[in-house]
Each structure stands twice: as structure tokens, then as C-alpha cells.
Amino acid sequence: MSDKATLVLVDGSGYIFRAFHALPPMTRRDGTPVNAVYGFTAMLMKLIDDLAPDHVAVVFDVARKTFRSDIYPAYKANRSEPPDELVPQFSLVRDATTALSLPLVEAPGFEADDLIATYARHAEAAGLQTLIVSSDKDLMQLVRGDVTMLDPMKQRRIGRDEVVDRFGVPPEKVVDVQSLAGDSTDNVPGVPGIGIKTAAELINTYGDLDNLLDQAGDIKQPKRRENLLNFAEQARISRELVRLKDDVPLTLDLPDLVTPARDLDRLTAFLKEQEFNRLLVRIGAAEAPATSIGQAVRSMASSPAGNDHPAAGRGQDTSDRGAVDQGAFGAGHLDPGALADMAGRDYQLITDVAALTAFLDAATAQGVVAVDTETTSLNAAAADLVGVSMALAPGRACYVPLRHGSPAQTGDQGGLDFAGDSPRCPQIPFDVAIGLLRPVFENSAVLKIGHNLKYDSHVLRRTRNGGIRLAPVDDTMCLSYVLDGGRVSSHSLDHLAKHWLDHDTIKFADICGKGAKQVPFGAISPEAALDYAAEDADVSLRLWHLFKPRLGQEHLARVYERLERPLIPILAEMEARGITVDRNILARMSNDFAARMADYQSRIHDLAGAPFNIASPKQLGEILFDKMGLQGGKKAKTGAYSTSADVLEDLAASGVEIAKEVLEWRQLAKLKSTYADALVDSILAETGRVHTSFSMVGASTGRLSSSDPNVQNIPIRTVEGRQIRTAFVAASGCQLISADYSQIELRLVAHVAGESGMIEAFRNGVDIHARTASEVFGVPLADMDGETRRRAKAINFGIIYGISAFGLARQLGISRGEASEYIKAYFQNFPGIRDYMEHAKATARDNGYVETLFGRRIYISGFDGGNQAMRGFAERQAINAPIQGSAADIIKRAMIRLPKALDAAGITADMLLQVHDELIFEAPSDQAAAAKDLITSVMQTAASPVLDLSVPLVAEAGIANSWADAH
């Protein structure tokens, strides 16, 4: 072996899991799952071809139980079993390693990391350079001299400096830091209260773990000192768990690791058996597919959004066999290495017509392009377009600057002066660029891919000369939401890039600064903007390749095609229209709230016997529980008493007058600040209207949410809350129409539970709450009083939210025993409801998700935890989510159908707002009545023909000059 030859040690076990989570499901013809095998094989082939190492070994774990389990039985005991789809692939990836003619190393009783540490030591002694291919942080302790790492997902070399950046200490001290900080992933205990940063500070101060523990009694911070003294032995045990063994008996000697020649016959046989046709093409064992990208994607681009035909929007085959048939850029059909490998990106800054024309011609030819816009505001109605980015393939993207320059000089012409280092910013004239973009962005044969395209659609439609209608589109945010609603913590581009591609995106603050020093995006040079802008389009395209094929595999294509994709342009139009808000009404309301708050303040101070800041929870707590000596005070970790709404409501229920007054004061204060005052600031000067932003991924159940301003949280149960809606008014010559579903969730409960008594009541138009009261309390309908009906209504709605006896007792002001009897009587009279609830909980517990009537999956966690409160919350979610989600799906179908129905009837009516089960329209006064009739008709039939409901849907509507009066 020659001096400084290279040994590459591949963390094979890490590769398996990376490949499995990076790729959508893939199966062979016999049904065997192979996505991890495909990703593993493709990445390993590329790695060896790129590095051409002198020596190589692929290292695997054998079993979870190792010598560390004897030291600490709980080591890795918190890890769940691998997914069922991954288990049969473990042996296949070993077969793949053998098929690639690569040495395979594993040893019972030891982890792959220990073998890597051992081979690195032997290689060092033999004068070899060692490159460890892994993103496992535990291996960073091995970095030294000729031992370095390569993160295969980020294509980033890791040396001593990178380890210091990660751990705050050099590689030789990493074990000490990990011993203190522990590792929740592997169940390494560490020392409570000490994280990586604190551990690094301690080790840098005291030199090593032993010296730190010897001198722990001298540490000034009491809690830190106490924990280090009490958990010293736990830290030492943790050190034995994280420190890698480098003396494992070798199963192959170093000379056995010389990189062999690839046996193409053996590799070809393996790839054919797995049906990896694209990889066969890659090694020259098969011909490349003749299908063009335009043919592959055009059918997806032109598929009829919202079509009720069962085949509408059906997902593509996700096997590699389908990938070959679909051409080079078919959704999900790129090698996983190409999708997750962000190195070698080719981002182009386009500032002339010829370059833009060439890029757009390429987009038209292949029939698909990713799109993203850079703007001046997060609110689309107030945003000006600054530039457009596009991507044709992973790593091949561009940025077209349109309005970069000094903020004071930003306009529509190219060559603007720039307030930076460069004296000029050459750009294509704005109108010229828009003229070139419009034909492609509106071309029905070119699919536009993006993330949160509702925003971009809104911005583009507001550009000059008629704007751009972006269509057809595929939205990776909506795709993620349909596929993983409730399963990923966020559907933002940054989060998904990290979750699926293991890539940290460039942040806005990285290029524009933060705080007082932040500059507008249009004030930076196009060169500085390039990577940030182009990356968004690039990442969106990569995510699309991962997400789109999963729709068919996971039977969710119809949810996306019927409910989410066609809603994108509808919501963009609604946001663009906005709704008129009367400033004068808001001003009068604000003054009234202020005067009433002053009255409450005076009474509160009199009851307290001293003036204090009512808005200060600390001062309020001291008044209530120290000065007045009221019972029930509980201090939080901060040392201050809790004065939450629950605490005050309990006090008020027990007759404490000051608590009632504070609750009233708080309600007025919130209405004043959140609505009466803030809504004025939300009125857009150019339109005189408020333009809310609807979030399509704000709730896991499928419900929309809104922000900037939030119109869905305006209180309607109090007179003051309803007063806010009086400020939302119709434009001159128009009226508002408020249409909402009547008791839709109760109707859906009756349907899914098959509860004949409730179904009959809804079919016959009987008051469901009176009917429930009659059944539960034994009161004839003719003798029903308001209070009995109110109690039945509380039970009806409480049951579908999984209300407990305690909750019902609190709501009705009765004893818990009485509430329990009510609930028991309810289930005796409506046993189908109980059966539905138990079935929903069991389904969620077994599958990890529940489904709406339209097939939307809502993932629910918390059933397996030891926390009873979490399990209770998960059970309530399982009961309510299918009902609330089905109601959300139905109103979305109505929203999608209504614009076409109104247009076909020749009625001018614009949909402005959606608030859960309610839709708000604006129509000319002479067409309002006709619009109202058509709107309610479409809403009542929105579930057809997909659902054959056993109960009728009823929509009620009103017409008036204000939202409050129309509702």
C-alpha cells in the first residue's frame, strides 16, 4: 500500500435510513419494497465513481443489542422498531453492496461506528488517509490528522474546524461534551440541565470530564453544581456509551479492502432483479428511454383540477420501472443522490432578453418549470414584484431580477442605480420581462411547480398590463400537507428542505441582515440575491420529485386534485379582492371600548382597594392572592401567580366579583387592540380594503386559517365581538351575502354513526337540540323549555369534541356527577355515537391516522406516551378530526364550484371570505337575491356525487350592507 493512499469507510447503516426517508415508496413487481435499496445503490455507485478510492469498506450494524446494552440496558431502548417497509430491505442493501463488488464489514456485538473507529486507527498506522462517509455526529470524535469525514447529504467535508463549529470543542474533547450533554436519540442520559453549549464551556474551562467532576463542588451556579455532583456517575457511564471502541477484531484485513474492479455481469443481474432500469441505463446495460419530458409531464399539467372522475389526477408509478418510462425529469424519477445532493448547483443570473428567452424555451420544451417570486412584503396584496426565479432540473435554476436598486429609485426600468458596491444593476426592463414570462406562465401545456403558489399567483396577477394568471400549477406545500398533515411539524420550504433533503436553506437574514440593519430585498445587488432566490425554485422542484409520486402510492391523489390544487387560484382571487372595512365605525368602536375599559378599571381598583396595572399578570396575581387572600393561587416557575383565563373563570364561578370584572376588562382590551385598532392598520391604501392571507396548511384537519389580519377568530358569542363585524361593509352599490352551513358537523356525526334517530330528525327538519333534550331528559317536545334545550345543545356539541364529565359540568354549572349522568343517558339513547367514537380512537391508535369522508388523512400522535393528558388529547382529536375535516372538505368543494356556477348563471358575485362553515360574498344590490339562492343551492349539493349522505346539508344565507347584519 502506497503512502497516503485513501481508505473510504462508508457508514452503510446511515445510508439505508437516509435513502428510505429521502425517497417515496417504490416496489418491485412482486410487491417487495425497494426504495431504500434503490437510493442506497444509486448513492453508493455515485460515491465510488466520484471518489475512486484506493481502499473501501461499507460498514453495517448487525443488531441493536451491543456491549453498550450491558453497560446501560436503557441504551437505545427508546428507539421504535424500523418501519415494516424497511425491514425486508436490510438484506437487499447488503446484496447491493456485494453486487457492487465492495467489501462489506460487520461484527456482532459492536456498532458500525466501532468498526469505523477501528479501521481508521489501523489505516492511520499503515500511513493511509481515511475518509469516513457519514453525517453521524458521533463519528466526529475520530477526526484528526489524516482522518476526515464527508457528509454525503450536504457534500461537505468535515475536519477539525467543522467539529469545533458543531461542538464548541476540538474532536478529542467531543466525547467529554457528549458525556455531559447526553443524547436523547440514543437514550444516553448525560447530566440533567446541561446541553452542548454549556458542556463545551465547562470542558474548555476545566480541560476534561474527570477534572470537571473532581472540581464540581467549586462551580458557582447552584443548580449546575448540584447536578454535576449528583449525576457524576451518570456522566461517566455516558462516556462509556459515546466513546467509540477502536480495538474491534477485524473481519477483513486492510489489504482485503483494496477497491476491486466492478463485476458488471453480477451488478447487471442484481439491478434487473430489482427492476432498477434507470441504474441499468447508467451502467450501460440498457438503452435510455425515448419518451420526452414534454410527453411525460404534459398530461399532469393539463389534468382537470377538481374533476370528480375516479382517475382524475391519479399519481404516477413510483417504481424505477415507471421512472424510465416517464423520461428524464418525470416526478419522483431522479436518482435520490441527485435530489438530495445540493453540491454542484448551476445557478444563472439572467439580465438580458436572449438568456431569458433561452431559459423559457427550455421550460416550454420539457413541459415543466419550478417558479418562485421575490417581493417586498409577506402580504401578497401589498407586495411588489422584485424578481422571479425558475428551475428546470435539480441544481439548474436561474434568477431574473426585475426591480433591484436603491429603494428610493425602485421602478419598472432596467439599469437602476444600486445603493451598494456596484454602481449599476443591469436588468431586463420590467414590461419586457413580464411579456416574455406571461406566455409560458399561462401556457396550459407547461406545469408550474412552486411552494405556496397561492402567494405567487396573487402577486403575479397584480403585475401591470393585466397581470399573469399562473396555471396550471402543482404546489409542494399543498402536496406535503395532503401527504403528511399532522405528521411533520411544518410545511414551510425551509423545514421540508431540512426534513427531506437534509439541506439548510439560505435565510433572508443571511443576505438582507436583521433588525434595524435589515435592508429591503430590492436594495441588494442581483448577484447577492442569486443563490437565495434560485435555491427556492430548486428546492421546490426537488421536493416535487419526491412528493408527486406518493399521491398515487398512498391513495391521496383525489384529495389533492379535488380539494387542494383547484382551490389555489380561488383563494388567490379572494385575497386580491379583499373586503371593505369602515374606518369611522372602527374609530367609534375603539373609543367606546376605551371608555368602558376605564369604567371597569375604576371598579376593579375599588374592589382591590388599591390602583394597579390590570394588564400585568404579576401585579394582578399579587392583588388577588396576596393582598386579598383569595384561595386557588398557584405560582409558575417564574415565581409569579398564574392569572390565566381558567384561573379567573374558576374564581368568577365561585362568586369573586373582581375576577368577573377583570375578565370583562380583558375581553374589551383584546377587542380594542386586536380588532378595533389593528384593523385600521390593515386597510390597504391603494384599495381601501382589508386583504387577509388564507393559510391552506394552518390546521391538520383541512380547515383554512387566516392572518394579517385574522378574520376567523373574531368573537361572535358576545355582543361586543359581533359588533366588530359591523365594520365589514359592502362597497357602494353592493350588498354582502353571508351563507353558512347549519349544524354541518352534527349532521356528519349522525351520518358516520348511522344514528337513526338523529338522521330522522335532520331529514324531517326537527330541531336537533330539542330532539336530543327530549331523548336524554325525557321531556316531550311540546313541553321543551329554553334551559333544557341549552343543556342538550352543550352535550351535542361537546360529545363530538370528546368532552369529559368535568368539562360539561364546568360548562353547564352543574356537578360532575350530574354531568356524568347526562353523558351516560346520551350514549344510551344514541349508541351509534359511542360506537363511532370507539372506532375512531381504535383506528387512530392502530394506523396513526384517521380519515375524512373524502379520504384526507389526519395523522395523530400521543397514544403511546405515558402522559394521560396527551393520550386524552389524542383521543379527542381522533373523534373530532374526521368530522371537522369532512366539513372543511365539503366547504372547499363548494368554494371550488361556486365561481363557475355563478359565472354560468350570469350572476356577478365575488367570494371574499371563508370563516370555517361560512362564506361571505359581495354582489350588486340588484343581483344579491339571485346570488343568494344559487350560493345556498351549490353549498347544499357540494358533497355530491362523491358522498351519498344519509342526512341533508342545509345552508342558510342573509343579505345586508354589513357582515354583522347579513349573518
Side-chain angles (χ1 to χ4, degrees):
M1 289 179 287
S2 62
D3 289 344
K4 300 304 178 183
T6 301
L7 166 65
V8 171
L9 297 169
V10 181
D11 178 8
S13 296
Y15 254 37
I16 299 171
F17 284 93
R18 292 279 181 179
F20 179 76
H21 291 293
L23 280 179
M26 297 168 59
T27 57
R28 298 187 316 205
R29 285 188 179 90
D30 63 4
T32 303
V34 290
N35 65 325
V37 186
Y38 179 84
F40 178 92
T41 307
M43 290 191 290
L44 199 53
M45 283 175 62
K46 185 176 188 302
L47 179 78
I48 302 305
D49 290 344
D50 289 348
L51 296 180
D54 303 286
H55 309 80
V56 63
V58 183
V59 190
F60 291 97
D61 290 320
V62 176
R64 184 173 298 178
K65 186 173 176 59
T66 66
F67 73 92
R68 292 180 176 85
S69 304
D70 298 328
I71 298 173
Y72 187 65
Y75 178 69
K76 291 191 176 181
N78 59 325
R79 290 195 177 184
S80 59
E81 293 299 317
D84 292 341
E85 297 83 358
L86 180 57
V87 173
Q89 301 188 65
F90 287 133
S91 60
L92 288 175
V93 295
R94 287 166 168 78
D95 293 344
T97 304
T98 302
L100 288 167
S101 305
L102 298 175
L104 185 156
V105 178
E106 55 189 359
F110 300 98
E111 295 182 46
D113 291 0
D114 299 313
L115 287 163
I116 290 172
T118 300
Y119 276 103
R121 180 175 66 83
H122 281 274
E124 190 175 30
L128 294 173
Q129 295 182 90
T130 300
L131 178 66
I132 301 168
V133 182
S134 176
S135 55
D136 188 346
K137 64 183 184 303
D138 296 338
L139 290 167
M140 291 186 182
Q141 63 184 268
L142 302 178
V143 171
R144 59 186 181 267
D146 286 332
V147 181
T148 57
M149 290 179 64
L150 172 67
D151 184 334
M153 307 311 291
K154 299 180 181 178
Q155 286 297 302
R156 182 175 69 109
R157 291 277 182 155
I158 300 172
R160 185 181 182 87
D161 291 344
E162 287 74 22
V163 175
V164 173
D165 288 342
R166 174 68 183 267
F167 284 98
V169 295
E172 61 269 19
K173 303 291 185 182
V174 165
V175 170
D176 290 338
V177 167
Q178 289 183 301
S179 303
L180 292 168
D183 187 344
S184 59
T185 303
D186 291 342
N187 215 28
V188 175
V191 175
I194 295 182
I196 293 291
K197 185 176 180 181
T198 301
E201 292 174 357
L202 290 169
I203 295 302
N204 284 327
T205 300
Y206 290 90
D208 58 42
L209 180 65
D210 289 326
N211 196 39
L212 167 64
L213 296 178
D214 289 343
Q215 300 183 51
D218 298 334
I219 291 177
K220 295 180 181 179
Q221 296 90 341
K223 189 63 177 178
R224 187 179 299 176
R225 179 177 64 247
E226 180 184 351
N227 283 346
L228 284 168
L229 291 171
N230 291 339
F231 295 95
E233 187 57 30
Q234 191 164 284
R236 294 187 180 97
I237 291 174
S238 297
R239 178 168 57 186
E240 296 308 306
L241 298 177
V242 300
R243 183 161 49 196
L244 301 180
K245 287 184 67 66
D246 63 0
D247 58 354
V248 178
L250 299 182
T251 56
L252 292 175
D253 293 326
L254 284 179
D256 299 325
L257 305 185
V258 172
T259 304
R262 189 171 287 169
D263 185 335
L264 287 180
D265 290 339
R266 179 165 57 180
L267 179 57
T268 298
F270 173 78
L271 296 179
K272 285 182 176 179
E273 182 182 0
Q274 308 312 317
E275 300 164 24
F276 293 163
N277 295 339
R278 182 163 296 283
L279 298 184
L280 286 167
V281 172
R282 187 160 144 188
I283 66 172
E287 291 185 3
T291 307
S292 71
I293 181 61
Q295 293 171 307
V297 184
R298 206 158 278 131
S299 61
M300 288 187 286
S302 58
S303 62
N307 193 330
D308 283 322
H309 191 277
R314 183 171 293 151
Q316 305 299 308
D317 180 8
T318 59
S319 70
D320 186 57
R321 179 177 64 259
V324 173
D325 293 340
Q326 291 298 325
F329 297 100
H333 306 142
L334 292 181
D335 290 342
L339 292 176
D341 182 2
M342 299 295 289
R345 292 173 286 179
D346 178 18
Y347 292 168
Q348 177 185 3
L349 185 66
I350 293 181
T351 57
D352 63 80
V353 168
L356 179 56
T357 300
F359 200 96
L360 292 172
D361 285 347
T364 302
Q366 73 172 27
V368 61
V369 63
V371 176
D372 186 60
T373 59
E374 298 301 338
T375 66
T376 58
S377 172
L378 294 176
N379 186 299
D384 289 325
L385 184 63
V386 176
V388 173
S389 58
M390 294 175 285
L392 293 173
R396 185 184 172 195
C398 75
Y399 179 56
V400 186
L402 299 174
R403 283 171 167 154
H404 281 261
S406 168
Q409 297 172 318
T410 297
D412 295 341
Q413 301 302 315
L416 299 173
D417 290 334
F418 170 66
D421 296 331
S422 173
R424 303 286 291 170
C425 284
Q427 296 164 85
I428 302 171
F430 187 87
D431 287 343
V432 173
I434 294 299
L436 293 171
L437 292 167
R438 182 181 290 109
V440 178
F441 283 8
E442 295 185 347
N443 188 339
S444 62
V446 180
L447 179 66
K448 272 68 67 174
I449 295 163
H451 198 82
N452 190 18
L453 281 178
K454 173 178 64 66
Y455 174 90
D456 303 280
S457 297
H458 186 169
V459 170
L460 289 169
R461 74 180 298 281
R462 291 178 51 248
T463 58
R464 293 189 331 206
N465 300 327
I468 294 175
R469 297 302 192 267
L470 193 68
V473 299
D474 251 348
D475 194 316
T476 50
M477 183 181 73
C478 293
L479 284 167
S480 174
Y481 182 60
V482 168
L483 293 166
D484 298 308
R487 187 156 54 173
V488 296
S489 59
S490 170
H491 300 280
S492 71
L493 190 67
D494 290 347
H495 180 83
L496 296 178
K498 183 64 177 176
H499 183 84
W500 292 105
L501 306 176
D502 197 26
H503 174 67
D504 292 307
T505 55
I506 304 167
K507 304 301 184 287
F508 185 81
D510 295 338
I511 58 168
C512 291
K514 53 178 75 170
K517 295 183 178 180
Q518 188 175 90
V519 299
F521 192 79
I524 65 173
S525 70
E527 290 79 7
L530 171 60
D531 285 354
Y532 170 84
E535 181 185 68
D536 283 351
D538 183 11
V539 169
S540 297
L541 185 60
R542 293 169 191 260
L543 292 173
W544 178 74
H545 280 290
L546 292 176
F547 294 161
K548 186 72 173 183
R550 288 178 55 196
L551 288 177
Q553 286 286 326
E554 299 177 31
H555 308 292
L556 290 167
R558 285 185 289 177
V559 175
Y560 176 72
E561 295 293 346
R562 285 176 171 168
L563 300 173
E564 301 301 327
R565 187 183 184 206
L567 193 63
I568 293 169
I570 303 290
L571 291 174
E573 293 287 338
M574 290 169 63
E575 291 181 358
R577 293 187 192 109
I579 185 170
T580 302
V581 176
D582 192 315
R583 292 174 180 269
N584 295 326
I585 293 176
L586 290 175
R588 290 196 299 269
M589 209 178 297
S590 180
N591 292 335
D592 176 59
F593 289 157
R596 294 173 61 187
M597 286 172 63
D599 290 341
Y600 277 113
Q601 177 178 288
S602 178
R603 291 199 295 273
I604 290 168
H605 287 170
D606 287 344
L607 290 168
F612 69 99
N613 182 1
I614 304 172
S616 167
K618 182 176 184 296
Q619 292 185 34
L620 176 60
E622 291 169 350
I623 288 290
L624 295 177
F625 303 113
D626 288 339
K627 186 176 186 300
M628 299 181 70
L630 297 175
Q631 298 300 308
K634 294 182 180 179
K635 289 189 174 182
K637 293 181 179 180
T638 60
Y641 288 105
S642 171
T643 58
S644 65
D646 288 344
V647 172
L648 293 179
E649 286 169 1
D650 285 341
L651 290 173
S654 62
V656 177
E657 186 65 24
I658 190 173
K660 296 178 183 177
E661 301 286 301
V662 170
L663 284 170
E664 294 291 344
W665 182 92
R666 280 186 177 178
Q667 182 190 9
L668 290 173
K670 181 176 181 179
L671 289 172
K672 182 179 185 302
S673 62
T674 306
Y675 299 108
D677 295 340
L679 276 173
V680 175
D681 297 332
S682 297
I683 298 173
L684 192 65
E686 299 94 282
T687 64
R689 297 163 79 97
V690 163
H691 302 262
T692 189
S693 295
F694 289 101
S695 172
M696 300 180 71
V697 298
S700 62
T701 58
R703 270 192 170 188
L704 298 175
S705 61
S706 76
S707 60
D708 198 20
N710 185 345
V711 297
Q712 298 193 334
N713 276 0
I714 299 174
I716 58 171
R717 294 185 179 181
T718 63
V719 173
E720 293 83 4
R722 290 192 293 271
Q723 191 178 348
I724 298 294
R725 292 190 174 196
T726 63
F728 290 78
V729 297
S732 177
C734 295
Q735 288 183 297
L736 296 182
I737 303 167
S738 170
D740 71 309
Y741 284 107
S742 172
Q743 302 170 335
I744 186 171
E745 292 189 8
L746 285 177
R747 293 171 187 270
L748 293 175
V749 167
H751 170 75
V752 299
E755 190 52 66
S756 58
M758 296 178 72
I759 292 170
E760 180 186 3
F762 281 124
R763 284 178 174 175
N764 296 331
V766 175
D767 182 336
I768 190 63
H769 301 310
R771 174 65 180 267
T772 299
S774 178
E775 296 283 348
V776 173
F777 304 125
V779 179
L781 285 173
D783 300 332
M784 190 63 58
D785 61 273
E787 176 58 26
T788 304
R789 182 185 181 279
R790 184 183 73 85
R791 292 190 174 195
K793 182 177 180 180
I795 298 174
N796 269 333
F797 285 112
I799 289 295
I800 63 176
Y801 287 98
I803 197 168
S804 64
F806 175 80
L808 184 62
R810 183 173 183 174
Q811 185 172 336
L812 294 179
I814 60 179
S815 69
R816 193 181 306 184
E818 190 176 3
S820 295
E821 289 301 316
Y822 285 172
I823 293 175
K824 181 179 179 182
Y826 183 93
F827 286 132
Q828 285 175 345
N829 283 279
F830 302 113
I833 305 295
R834 163 83 74 180
D835 293 343
Y836 159 70
M837 294 170 66
E838 294 304 317
H839 180 263
K841 290 188 287 187
T843 299
R845 193 179 295 112
D846 294 342
N847 298 337
Y849 63 84
V850 291
E851 288 187 341
T852 69
L853 293 173
F854 287 89
R856 182 190 300 277
R857 289 182 186 174
I858 303 163
Y859 287 89
I860 297 174
S861 60
F863 286 100
D864 299 327
N867 187 317
Q868 177 59 41
M870 287 294 294
R871 289 199 301 273
F873 178 72
E875 290 180 349
R876 290 192 295 275
Q877 275 188 302
I879 294 166
N880 180 246
I883 305 302
Q884 189 181 99
S886 295
D889 290 345
I890 288 172
I891 200 167
K892 283 183 175 180
R893 284 177 61 83
M895 294 171 70
I896 293 164
R897 291 178 171 186
L898 276 163
K900 291 181 180 178
L902 289 164
D903 185 60
I907 297 174
T908 301
D910 293 330
M911 190 156 47
L912 307 183
L913 298 177
Q914 189 256 45
V915 181
H916 305 316
D917 301 330
E918 179 185 11
L919 294 173
I920 312 300
F921 294 80
E922 186 174 63
S925 298
D926 60 351
Q927 297 192 53
K932 170 190 167 185
D933 292 341
L934 181 58
I935 289 165
T936 53
S937 175
V938 171
M939 290 176 69
Q940 288 173 169
T941 58
S944 302
V946 180
L947 301 183
D948 183 17
L949 294 177
S950 56
V951 294
L953 296 181
V954 175
E956 300 171 340
I959 303 172
N961 291 324
S962 76
W963 183 10
D965 293 334
H967 184 71

